[in-house]
Amino acid sequence: MLSFVNYIKLCASRRSHLLTKTTFQRYGYSTIKLTSDNYPNLKRNDNFKKITSDDLAYFQSILTPQELIIAKDKDELNLYNTDWTHKYKGQSNIVLKPKSVDKVSLIMNYCSKERIAVVPQGGNTDLVGGSVPVFDELILSLSNLNKIRSFDELTGILKCDAGAILEDVDNYLKDKGYLFPLDLGAKGSCQIGGCVATNAGGQRLLRYGSLHGNVLGLEVVLPDGTILNSMHSLRKDNTGYDLKQLFIGSEGTIGIITGVSILTPTNPKSTNVSFLAVKDFKDIETVFKRAKRDLSEILSAFEFMDMKSMQLTKKHLAETDGSMTFPLENEHPFYILIETSGSNKEHDDAKMEKFLEDVMGDETVIDGTMAQDVTEIEKIWKWREMIPESCQSEGAVYKYDVSLPLSKIYSLVESTNAKLLKEDLLYDPVKNPSGPVIGAVGYGHIGDGNLHLNVAAKEYNKIIEKCLEPFIYEAVSELQGSISAEHGVGLQKKNHLHYSKSPVEIKVMKDIKNHFDPNGVLNPYKYV
Amino acid sequence: MSKLRILVPVKRVLDYQLKPVLNAARTGIETQGFKFSINPFDDIALEEALKLESALPKGTVTTHAVSIGSNLQCRDILRNCLAKGIHDVTWINSGKYDLQPLAIAKILKQFVTQGDYNLVLLGKQAIDDDSGQTGQMLAGLLNWSQLTNASSVTVESDNITVTSETDGIQDQVLRASLPCVVTADLRLNTPRYVPLPKLMKVKRKPIKELSLEKDFSNVDIQSRLNIVSLNEPVVKKSGIVVGSVDELIAKLKESKVI
């Protein structure tokens, strides 16, 4: 048995963070423009102090050398200054990586008093430029706070540090028969605290709901250094304001999450994954309706991908991982990934079988496969999870993550492509060989009405951006959707918040920000 | 060239990614509620049979998969074989008998002789017991050539050429003439997925069933080996992080290392 397991480990999915590093090496940091050059309208707030040797001396007095990265480690600093999409690059000269909550508190207390701007950072897998500095803000990385504090095997309540990596926590829980209620492609790098701070969604949301429901308590260091501890393990607690909710999705603007208490579900014993093909988007709706009806309580994921997104992934995987053969023989306009999770294999198999017979019987589904073993389950998921990276592999990607009424979801991809074509930006080997855009692709979580619209391009440039924005935001607003379903606002969508929030809502958000952070030192220049 | 008549024996095993759990009596592993799949090496052999068929002139290759076991779900494994494109399948219901590799080889020998096959393509080992004996013993019983641990297979007229990876020498190229037994190694190919439309078509197809007791009554399936005990691997104690050199020295003294 060993040889097989080892072999699979050998060619096992290389996690996003590893690949990110290789991509970085390929393009080099130098090609990534500074955010301050890209956005000349953004000005550094002169109320913020530039870090002096005295400040450095203070940080050195409370931190060990392992908890500090400074200017001489240029390459390492670059990793913290640059975002995953290669679109944003800050100029921070200092990264603090405290190993205790008390140190986080001391740092914040000092920075607040000294008016030093701070960007909290988790795994830095953010997609909207929220986790990297805009100018010279100090970077406070939570990666050294990575312990699991406790786990209650009876209730499934987990308490852990904010810097614990999602995949590590998930593996820890799986050993105990439980599961983290959140799963996403960046799981090998992203941290629990960052997931909570950005209210990350992901593939399990359909089944287990959002973090607003699963998080039971938080430990947060406020901008002035106060530690707000509400690490409860209570499912019911109606005693006043539910403060933790404010920090879920706050994107590090009003406090730094250092600890998380979360309710975890039991790990389903039986999992089935099938990969299906349909001829148009309407059929996806039909399949979804029938999946809800026939698979009901065991349905745990329903993802869709369009042909173009799979073509890009095919190309990218062919270059990086030879062991990945496409699950189907031919190409089709749309693909669906369905996952079921339950406690009884025979029962789940029977349901899945009946469902598949039904959708294939009348040819709603025209082709497909069902994973026969755990390896195939992982490989099929990888086809979905590698899309973001594949869209990026041509050089650049404009990412939009929107919520829309189900029936309207794909029309946005079509209208975006039409606009790109009209403005002569779309690459065509014959008609437009110098076109900078490969194309707009669509995929996402149908179950949650969440579309990921990715525009793959050869480079970032202002002409493409002008074509896409505010066009996409206006289209979403018109359809009463949300301009950010699960990625947050960060820097990218800062000026577009009004498409999804009313002036009154925005004012209340600003009031809350001012209450917690009157000096505005936490994650400045971002959405509030 | 003569027709290539391939037999692929496939075994249903506990999914290799799952951690086996010993049953209470410590006579075997827990099976209830665990995912079982085709032995990955057999899946590779199966894929190679399909590849040979498409590489050689149409109509010159027949493929047949056979599975020996008592679980009804052996039929599901065989249905997947059909969906992938194997022409014919047979389930040999082993009933209450527990079979060791020698017995399996003897049963297969009879099946091969009666079915007039000239190439048996199977995994080099099953990942549940890791015996790695069936292919070799079958070749011995049939008095056929054997080409083991194949990482590439080519057929030309009546010759079959196989590359196998060995320790030390990088590649070993071997040739034999048909009939012959070939066992598949890991890097031979990547198995295809089961196409659903074809699976739906074979769903209701009855699977040919033979009974070990009735149809193989002349075969001596007596076990020659007794399983004395089954034990779980010893769990390695996790290390500790010491706070200081003094503590390290104290611990080392405590455990009498120094």
Side-chain angles (χ1 to χ4, degrees):
Chain A
M1 188 174 301
L2 259 182
S3 56
F4 214 81
V5 174
N6 279 343
Y7 168 68
I8 293 303
K9 275 187 187 152
L10 203 78
C11 59
S13 59
R14 290 188 289 161
R15 294 298 176 194
S16 345
H17 61 297
L18 293 176
L19 284 167
T20 308
K21 276 179 195 153
T22 56
T23 339
F24 269 135
Q25 277 154 10
R26 187 146 35 113
Y27 297 106
Y29 293 103
S30 52
T31 56
I32 306 165
K33 272 208 225 159
L34 290 177
T35 307
S36 55
D37 293 341
N38 256 333
Y39 296 86
N41 291 338
L42 274 173
K43 294 276 178 272
R44 186 183 182 280
N45 182 344
D46 288 329
N47 292 333
F48 295 139
K49 181 179 170 188
K50 288 191 173 155
I51 291 171
T52 64
S53 53
D54 285 352
D55 300 327
L56 191 59
Y58 174 75
F59 295 135
Q60 278 166 335
S61 76
I62 58 166
L63 299 172
T64 61
Q66 292 84 33
E67 297 170 283
L68 197 69
I69 301 169
I70 47 174
K72 63 176 170 43
D73 313 306
K74 204 85 202 146
D75 284 345
E76 244 198 302
L77 273 179
N78 266 332
L79 271 176
Y80 293 87
N81 266 317
T82 319
D83 87 314
W84 192 89
T85 62
H86 306 175
K87 208 172 160 190
Y88 303 98
K89 187 178 177 184
Q91 305 158 52
S92 182
N93 280 318
I94 183 163
V95 180
L96 308 186
K97 301 166 77 175
K99 286 186 177 171
S100 74
V101 177
D102 288 335
K103 287 181 181 177
V104 178
S105 163
L106 283 175
I107 294 165
M108 281 320 298
N109 180 275
Y110 182 83
C111 290
S112 255
K113 270 199 289 208
E114 296 293 322
R115 304 270 199 279
I116 295 171
V118 176
V119 175
Q121 191 178 86
N124 198 12
T125 58
D126 178 281
L127 299 168
V128 290
S131 62
V132 288
V134 179
F135 297 100
D136 58 347
E137 299 94 285
L138 175 152
I139 299 171
L140 202 160
S141 164
L142 278 304
S143 51
N144 275 336
L145 274 174
N146 53 13
K147 304 264 181 318
I148 285 164
R149 297 186 188 177
S150 68
F151 180 67
D152 183 336
E153 298 205 25
L154 179 64
T155 56
I157 294 170
L158 170 89
K159 293 180 181 180
C160 70
D161 287 347
I165 289 178
L166 176 57
E167 194 170 41
D168 296 344
V169 174
D170 203 35
N171 288 338
Y172 169 86
L173 288 168
K174 277 180 180 158
D175 280 346
K176 313 256 177 209
Y178 284 81
L179 183 78
F180 202 81
L182 171 81
D183 183 31
L184 32 94
K187 58 176 164 268
S189 319
C190 71
Q191 300 173 3
I192 304 297
C195 290
V196 175
T198 54
N199 190 22
Q203 293 95 345
R204 287 181 190 156
L205 192 129
L206 176 71
R207 175 70 167 269
Y208 302 114
S210 93
L211 289 172
H212 279 296
N214 292 313
V215 171
L216 299 179
L218 291 176
E219 177 189 70
V220 181
V221 174
L222 299 178
D224 67 357
T226 310
I227 300 173
L228 177 70
N229 187 340
S230 68
M231 290 287 276
H232 301 301
S233 25
L234 307 169
R235 292 198 66 179
K236 300 175 101 173
D237 176 22
N238 285 354
T239 49
Y241 298 134
D242 192 358
L243 295 175
K244 65 176 182 285
Q245 300 297 356
L246 266 180
F247 297 93
I248 302 172
S250 66
E251 298 184 31
T253 56
I254 53 175
I256 297 178
I257 296 172
T258 51
V260 175
S261 166
I262 187 165
L263 183 67
T264 66
T266 50
N267 191 12
K269 283 204 208 98
S270 137
T271 305
N272 281 325
V273 167
S274 59
F275 188 83
L276 310 174
V278 294
K279 59 183 185 309
D280 56 37
F281 192 78
K282 198 115 199 72
D283 287 341
I284 297 182
E285 290 173 39
T286 314
V287 176
F288 181 50
K289 216 185 282 169
R290 294 203 208 160
K292 283 203 292 184
R293 186 190 67 195
D294 296 339
L295 301 172
S296 55
E297 85 286 355
I298 60 167
L299 181 64
S300 58
F302 194 106
E303 303 279 314
F304 94 97
M305 296 138 267
D306 66 3
M307 176 149 72
K308 186 92 190 161
S309 68
M310 283 291 99
Q311 285 170 342
L312 285 173
T313 310
K314 258 188 202 175
K315 184 162 173 263
H316 182 55
L317 284 176
E319 288 161 4
T320 54
D321 184 351
S323 75
M324 294 285 292
T325 44
F326 192 61
L328 306 180
E329 216 174 311
N330 300 311
E331 293 198 330
H332 299 280
F334 291 98
Y335 305 96
I336 303 170
L337 187 160
I338 293 178
E339 184 191 76
T340 64
S341 317
S343 58
N344 182 325
K345 178 119 186 59
E346 277 83 46
H347 166 264
D348 294 4
D349 284 355
K351 273 191 164 174
M352 189 65 146
E353 210 164 282
K354 191 190 162 292
F355 162 74
L356 289 173
E357 266 173 30
D358 180 53
V359 290
M360 298 205 76
D362 62 2
E363 286 176 7
T364 312
V365 168
I366 47 180
D367 198 359
T369 187
M370 189 163 146
Q372 296 305 317
D373 53 37
V374 181
T375 312
E376 284 191 5
I377 289 180
E378 287 176 358
K379 285 191 171 179
I380 290 178
W381 263 117
K382 198 172 170 192
W383 280 99
R384 161 65 183 82
E385 288 179 345
M386 288 301 282
I387 303 173
E389 193 170 300
S390 307
C391 290
Q392 170 92 335
S393 66
E394 302 286 332
V397 61
Y398 289 86
K399 297 181 81 77
Y400 301 92
D401 148 57
V402 301
S403 279
L404 288 172
L406 198 57
S407 58
K408 300 286 193 313
I409 280 190
Y410 203 71
S411 66
L412 185 64
V413 181
E414 288 163 335
S415 59
T416 305
N417 269 322
K419 187 152 192 286
L420 286 163
L421 184 69
K422 205 178 103 197
E423 300 193 5
D424 232 12
L425 292 168
L426 218 44
Y427 168 79
D428 185 300
V430 185
K431 283 183 226 153
N432 191 9
S434 64
V437 177
I438 311 296
V441 311
Y443 60 93
H445 322 291
I446 282 287
D448 316 320
N450 183 185
L451 167 76
H452 291 301
L453 168 64
N454 281 14
V455 181
K458 295 176 196 159
E459 58 178 13
Y460 292 113
N461 77 40
K462 285 281 160 202
I463 306 167
I464 305 175
E465 195 175 313
K466 256 208 177 121
C467 169
L468 299 172
E469 296 173 19
F471 168 76
I472 289 171
Y473 298 126
E474 279 168 2
V476 171
S477 180
E478 223 162 85
L479 298 165
Q480 266 115 41
S482 165
I483 62 156
S484 184
E486 59 178 15
H487 290 173
V489 182
L491 185 61
Q492 187 201 352
K493 298 178 184 172
K494 160 191 160 100
N495 295 326
H496 310 292
L497 200 56
H498 65 273
Y499 288 110
S500 289
K501 289 273 189 285
S502 72
V504 179
E505 285 172 306
I506 292 175
K507 181 172 180 302
V508 174
M509 278 160 64
K510 283 191 194 305
D511 289 346
I512 290 170
K513 164 78 177 172
N514 287 337
H515 170 80
F516 282 101
D517 186 17
N519 300 328
V521 293
L522 255 189
N523 217 0
Y525 318 109
K526 311 287 166 61
Y527 81 94
V528 282
Chain B
M1 78 177 254
S2 57
K3 236 180 155 185
L4 195 58
R5 295 174 303 274
I6 309 175
L7 178 71
V8 187
V10 296
K11 186 175 184 183
R12 178 179 174 271
V13 297
L14 179 73
D15 196 295
Y16 82 91
Q17 288 223 4
L18 304 179
K19 190 173 165 254
V21 177
L22 280 187
N23 62 16
R26 304 181 85 82
T27 53
I29 55 164
E30 276 301 339
T31 54
Q32 202 61 43
F34 282 90
K35 192 172 182 74
F36 276 70
S37 345
I38 184 170
N39 173 34
F41 289 108
D42 294 340
D43 204 14
I44 293 168
L46 191 85
E47 177 68 26
E48 199 58 24
L50 295 167
K51 280 184 140 172
L52 283 175
E53 193 205 341
S54 55
L56 294 167
K58 216 173 155 59
T60 63
V61 179
T62 62
T63 54
H64 194 127
V66 60
S67 188
I68 306 170
S70 58
N71 195 300
L72 281 174
Q73 282 168 354
C74 282
R75 294 183 302 186
D76 294 338
I77 301 267
L78 290 169
R79 264 199 196 93
N80 289 340
C81 297
L82 283 176
K84 284 186 175 188
I86 293 289
H87 300 153
D88 207 354
V89 296
T90 307
W91 172 38
I92 301 175
N93 186 346
S94 60
K96 56 181 196 272
Y97 299 101
D98 208 14
L99 301 171
Q100 290 182 351
L102 180 61
I104 297 284
K106 286 177 180 168
I107 298 164
L108 286 176
K109 183 204 169 192
Q110 184 185 319
F111 193 81
V112 169
T113 318
Q114 286 172 351
D116 192 25
Y117 302 97
N118 57 7
L119 174 61
V120 179
L121 201 50
L122 73 171
K124 68 166 183 179
Q125 73 193 69
I127 54 126
D128 51 359
D129 56 24
D130 273 346
S131 297
Q133 300 169 346
T134 307
Q136 289 89 327
M137 291 200 287
L138 175 61
L141 292 169
L142 285 165
N143 201 18
W144 286 10
S145 312
Q146 55 175 305
L147 298 167
T148 52
N149 305 343
S151 58
S152 85
V153 176
T154 43
V155 178
E156 237 174 317
S157 64
D158 280 349
N159 288 322
I160 180 154
T161 310
V162 154
T163 310
S164 61
E165 291 167 9
T166 56
D167 288 338
I169 314 166
Q170 248 188 340
D171 282 333
Q172 175 175 257
V173 182
L174 298 168
R175 181 172 299 149
S177 55
L178 294 171
C180 127
V181 174
V182 174
T183 68
D185 207 343
L186 205 53
R187 285 172 185 80
L188 180 55
N189 58 49
T190 310
R192 68 193 64 189
Y193 291 83
V194 177
L196 271 178
K198 285 191 189 129
L199 186 62
M200 291 298 151
K201 282 199 192 111
V202 299
K203 200 101 238 180
R204 308 258 175 265
K205 201 175 162 179
I207 300 286
K208 215 183 295 162
E209 180 183 338
L210 295 175
S211 145
L212 182 64
E213 226 159 22
K214 280 194 219 127
D215 301 300
F216 295 85
S217 53
N218 296 328
V219 179
D220 169 22
I221 53 166
Q222 204 63 44
S223 294
R224 303 256 185 111
L225 304 171
N226 286 325
I227 294 176
V228 180
S229 70
L230 282 174
N231 298 297
E232 277 170 9
V234 183
V235 183
K236 217 177 133 193
K237 261 172 93 181
S238 64
I240 55 158
V241 178
V242 290
S244 68
V245 177
D246 290 345
E247 196 188 337
L248 174 68
I249 291 170
K251 291 266 180 214
L252 288 174
K253 277 186 180 157
E254 201 179 290
S255 46
K256 302 215 162 55
V257 181
I258 52 170

